[in-house]
């Protein structure tokens, strides 16, 4: 049995396992490491070693998370990180038995994401100030986010060489470093083409020349920058909903479903591993249908 006295090295090995075996992103790996450190701190306070940890110890840790008011979604993520950690310890021979096998995550109620109407998206695009240096770039960003249903991380890392205008698709690198083909709308393709001459005039920094969307200093954009672009456009268009860049991805999927697209096709375009993740859009569609029935059916009119 391997020694567990060198905790920092074991955590480094855990990070390597998450990257090489699970294909998780750096952000997710860092979150899992932080979650494991929370557990190690709890075990230290109760004078429990990793090797002696039982299911009851882990349930006590989970109960502590609840008692201090950690949100259910965060509890679920922390428990997922802990379970991955003990799975790693078992596979690598640090411990003989996995005490987390029966550890349950908190039940998460399904919250329907906010969705924009086509008219609201058109208003946001119309609100872009085209007199600014970033105007055309922001139009291209809006059309690409909504027209391709990309995650923010996929947008900011989208490579110029992965946009195929003639074939009308983009090659996107998503979660787990997996690539997928997503059709690109003519509107998005046209806006990107209009942006390219402006991009060519930038002083592009070394190592960033392959990235499509850049800031005025020639660096790739950050998630926070995209967030503020979307929030400011929503405010300019007088949209009062609580939205983020991810709202455009939700809207993309919902509008496809409303237009009759197959759920499997939507799953592939969004890059969802499981169809269960995509099925939330069925709930959105049914919710809207129910609202329409309540509003217009003669038995409900007063």
């Amino acid at each position: 049995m391997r020694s567990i006295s060198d905790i920092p090295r074991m955590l480094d090995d855990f990070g390597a396992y998450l990257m090489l075996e699970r294909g998780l992103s750096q952000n997710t790996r860092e979150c899992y490491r932080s979650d494991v450190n929370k557990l190690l701190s709890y075990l230290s306070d109760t004078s429990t070693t990793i090797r002696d940890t039982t299911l009851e110890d882990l349930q006590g840790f989970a109960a502590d998370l609840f008692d201090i008011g950690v949100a259910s979604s965060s509890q679920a993520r922390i428990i997922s990180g802990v379970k991955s950690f003990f799975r790693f310890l078992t596979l690598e021979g640090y411990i003989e038995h996995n005490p987390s096998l029966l550890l349950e995550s908190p039940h998460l109620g399904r919250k329907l994401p906010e969705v924009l109407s086509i008219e609201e998206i058109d208003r946001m695009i119309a609100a872009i100030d085209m007199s600014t240096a970033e105007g055309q770039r922001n139009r291209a960003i809006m059309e690409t986010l909504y027209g391709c249903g990309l995650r923010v991380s996929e947008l900011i890392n989208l490579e110029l060489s992965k946009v195929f205008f003639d074939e009308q698709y983009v090659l996107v690198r998503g979660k787990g470093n997996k690539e997928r083909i997503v059709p690109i709308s003519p509107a998005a393709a046209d806006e990107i083409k209009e942006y390219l001459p402006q991009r060519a005039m930038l002083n592009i920094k070394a190592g960033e020349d392959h990235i499509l969307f850049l800031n005025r200093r020639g660096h790739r954009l950050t998630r926070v920058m995209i967030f503020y672009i979307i929030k400011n456009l929503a405010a300019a268009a007088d949209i009062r909903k609580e939205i983020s860049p991810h709202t455009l991805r939700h809207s993309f999927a919902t509008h496809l479903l409303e237009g009759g697209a197959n759920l499997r096709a939507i799953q592939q375009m969004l890059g969802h591993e499981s169809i269960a993740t995509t099925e939330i859009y069925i709930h959105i569609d049914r919710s809207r249908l129910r609202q329409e029935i309540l509003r217009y059916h003669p038995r409900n009119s007063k």
Side-chain angles (χ1 to χ4, degrees):
M1 187 175 296
R2 296 179 65 177
S3 170
I4 56 176
S5 58
D6 190 349
I7 299 296
R9 181 173 180 178
M10 183 175 61
L11 291 177
D12 288 341
D13 289 346
F14 177 51
Y17 159 79
L18 294 175
M19 179 177 67
L20 299 174
E21 301 293 332
R22 299 280 306 279
L24 300 183
S25 68
Q26 182 179 348
N27 284 344
T28 304
R29 298 197 306 271
E30 290 175 353
C31 285
Y32 274 19
R33 182 163 183 152
S34 174
D35 297 338
V36 170
N37 279 323
K38 292 182 178 69
L39 171 67
L40 295 177
S41 177
Y42 171 84
L43 294 177
S44 176
D45 291 343
T46 59
S47 301
T48 305
T49 67
I50 294 175
R51 190 161 287 157
D52 295 331
T53 301
T54 65
L55 174 61
E56 290 72 24
D57 294 320
L58 297 179
Q59 289 172 333
F61 171 66
D64 252 23
L65 296 175
F66 176 82
D67 290 342
I68 63 176
V70 175
S72 295
S73 57
S74 297
Q75 290 180 47
R77 193 208 67 221
I78 293 170
I79 296 301
S80 175
V82 167
K83 290 171 77 74
S84 292
F85 179 60
F86 278 100
R87 188 181 307 118
F88 156 76
L89 293 177
T90 308
L91 288 172
E92 295 298 316
Y94 286 103
I95 58 177
E96 290 186 8
H97 304 291
N98 184 348
S100 71
L101 288 175
L102 299 179
L103 183 63
E104 295 183 353
S105 294
H107 176 73
L108 298 178
R110 174 164 281 179
K111 181 182 178 181
L112 298 183
E114 197 75 78
V115 175
L116 294 168
S117 68
I118 298 173
E119 184 266 339
E120 286 172 327
I121 290 171
D122 287 341
R123 277 164 46 198
M124 287 179 65
I125 294 173
I128 295 172
D129 185 355
M130 297 301 292
S131 67
T132 66
E134 294 80 19
Q136 183 56 50
R137 182 203 65 188
N138 291 349
R139 281 183 71 98
I141 286 172
M142 277 290 297
E143 289 288 0
T144 304
L145 273 176
Y146 172 61
C148 299
L150 302 187
R151 300 179 178 95
V152 177
S153 59
E154 295 168 348
L155 177 89
I156 62 177
N157 293 309
L158 183 61
E159 298 179 16
L160 179 56
S161 64
K162 300 299 176 67
V163 182
F164 298 89
F165 293 106
D166 292 339
E167 294 82 0
Q168 296 185 324
Y169 73 85
V170 293
L171 191 59
V172 178
R173 190 176 299 277
K175 286 187 175 181
N177 217 28
K178 296 177 180 177
E179 288 190 329
R180 70 182 189 278
I181 292 174
V182 180
I184 186 170
S185 68
D190 288 344
E191 296 299 345
I192 291 173
K193 288 177 182 177
E194 290 290 327
Y195 158 67
L196 290 180
Q198 297 178 11
R199 179 188 179 279
M201 297 174 63
L202 296 172
N203 180 22
I204 301 175
K205 301 305 178 184
E208 302 282 62
D209 52 301
H210 63 298
I211 297 299
L212 175 59
F213 294 115
L214 302 170
N215 64 23
R216 65 178 68 183
R217 293 179 298 278
H219 289 284
R220 76 182 69 194
L221 301 170
T222 66
R223 291 180 177 86
V224 173
M225 292 174 71
I226 300 296
F227 175 83
Y228 280 116
I229 288 171
I230 299 304
K231 293 287 281 187
N232 290 339
L233 287 178
D238 196 29
I239 296 172
R240 308 298 176 87
K241 296 176 180 177
E242 191 64 36
I243 70 169
S244 70
H246 216 64
T247 308
L248 295 173
R249 178 171 159 89
H250 292 314
S251 304
F252 162 84
T254 303
H255 296 164
L256 280 178
L257 186 65
E258 290 175 343
N262 180 277
L263 197 63
R264 289 286 180 186
I266 297 174
Q267 177 193 5
Q268 291 175 355
M269 284 187 280
L270 291 175
H272 286 162
E273 290 264 343
S274 168
I275 192 69
T277 309
T278 317
E279 283 174 346
I280 190 171
Y281 298 106
I282 294 180
H283 292 263
I284 296 173
D285 205 30
R286 288 173 178 166
S287 176
R288 289 190 169 189
L289 177 61
R290 180 177 182 276
Q291 292 173 9
E292 293 297 297
I293 291 173
L294 290 176
R295 182 177 179 183
Y296 295 114
H297 195 280
R299 291 301 190 197
N300 297 318
S301 59
K302 294 183 181 180

